[in-house]
Amino acid sequence: MTNAVEVQAVHKRFKGINALRGLTLSVERGTTYGLLGPNGAGKTTLIRTIAGLLSPDSGEVKVLDTRMPNKPILGRVGYMTQSLALYEELSVRQNVQFFAEIAGKDDAKAIDEVIALVDLSKRANSRVRELSGGMKQRCSLACALVHRPDLVLLDEPTVGVDPQLRVQFWEHFRRLNQAGVTLIVSSHVMDEAERCDKLGFLRDGVMLAEGSADELRQRAGTDNLETAFLRFAENTNGKEQSS
Ligand SMILES: Nc1ncnc2c1ncn2[C@@H]1O[C@H](COP(=O)(O)OP(=O)(O)O)[C@@H](O)[C@H]1O
Ligand SMILES: [Mg+2]
């Protein structure tokens, strides 16, 4: 198996909104794929479809060689949602433990390690509702990683996280890749894109372009990723108007 994720011609429509319009992508095992695009591009819809929480109207999603949706495979997937899904009245540790338990991996050492990783050891016994936004974000990341998943889906994980810790997150993501773990990270911040092995530029449910940051800049004839995004978007506008 070389690809951890295969998305084939996926369409998803919500009441008159075409959130995903024939999306195809594959993510090689042990790599980090960055989904980039503005609000409303379809990033969260795509991630939820990959996690099997949404069924596509047409097309197919395979995760770790298994056609989604599939419940058992979810034990091997970590998902950090964009809107935080934490229990505000429980402590950091209790939240992380809860996620470990539902994945069947209630291991005290793993829980301590992941809390240390997100730099919350000193706040392990604080109730989540007493934490700052960035701390909640970090707690949420700990919950997504505690069961040592093979595939990690992170929906805008570094929003509200300070720059120094953001660097640490990315260093950890790299180590996960080296251990064979696959990551899909969505962002609307282009500077994080540099860290990804491959990028997908998404807009209006369509893949505008795919490749490494260097490849995309080169193809667009610019040294700036944001400009590259805009150029690919312009080309697509032209095509849509003439078709
Ligand atoms: N559950 C839903 N019901 C109706 N529309 C939705 C739903 N989820 C997403 N959408 C719409 O689908 C489009 C893509 O949204 P989303 O995947 O959240 O984009 P992104 O994460 O890139 O900001 C948006 O137009 C959004 O309003
Ligand atoms: Mg989103």
Side-chain angles (χ1 to χ4, degrees), residues 4-191:
V5 174
E6 305 226 29
V7 174
Q8 186 62 42
V10 163
H11 283 265
K12 183 71 193 177
R13 193 181 164 86
F14 299 107
K15 301 174 228 129
I17 296 168
N18 286 305
L20 301 177
R21 298 191 282 162
L23 219 75
T24 295
L25 75 135
S26 52
V27 184
E28 210 176 306
R29 195 168 173 268
T31 66
T32 295
Y33 188 104
L35 276 175
L36 294 182
N39 280 323
K43 303 181 296 295
T44 297
T45 303
L46 177 60
I47 287 175
R48 297 187 68 206
T49 308
I50 292 170
L53 303 173
L54 280 177
S55 288
D57 298 331
S58 62
E60 189 181 82
V61 176
K62 272 189 173 174
V63 168
L64 306 167
D65 282 335
T66 309
R67 185 163 180 174
M68 300 303 280
N70 176 289
K71 269 223 174 107
I73 214 79
L74 286 183
R76 295 173 60 196
V77 176
Y79 176 25
M80 176 176 168
T81 55
Q82 184 173 10
S83 47
L84 298 179
L86 298 170
Y87 296 92
E88 296 265 326
E89 295 306 317
L90 298 183
S91 70
V92 168
R93 191 162 219 295
Q94 285 168 328
N95 268 279
V96 177
Q97 184 167 8
F98 174 79
F99 282 89
E101 276 170 15
I102 50 175
K105 296 197 183 152
D106 183 6
D107 168 355
K109 190 164 164 269
I111 293 168
D112 287 339
E113 278 174 8
V114 82
I115 291 174
L117 169 78
V118 298
D119 199 19
L120 282 177
S121 301
K122 283 187 198 143
R123 303 302 298 268
N125 296 317
S126 300
R127 269 195 261 189
V128 164
R129 71 173 161 84
E130 295 160 10
L131 303 180
S132 72
M135 288 175 186
K136 287 183 188 177
Q137 199 79 358
R138 280 142 58 191
C139 181
S140 186
L141 179 64
C143 293
L145 296 179
V146 66
H147 59 298
R148 305 215 164 105
D150 293 312
L151 171 68
V152 185
L153 306 171
L154 303 171
D155 200 353
E156 309 217 17
T158 58
V159 172
V161 173
D162 66 71
Q164 197 186 341
L165 193 66
R166 199 184 281 208
V167 170
Q168 285 174 33
F169 274 15
W170 281 100
E171 282 167 0
H172 185 69
F173 296 165
R174 237 340 143 212
R175 285 196 293 275
L176 289 175
N177 283 157
Q178 281 154 7
V181 177
T182 308
L183 282 91
I184 299 180
V185 182
S186 80
S187 180
H188 61 264
V189 189
M190 293 288 169
D191 63 351

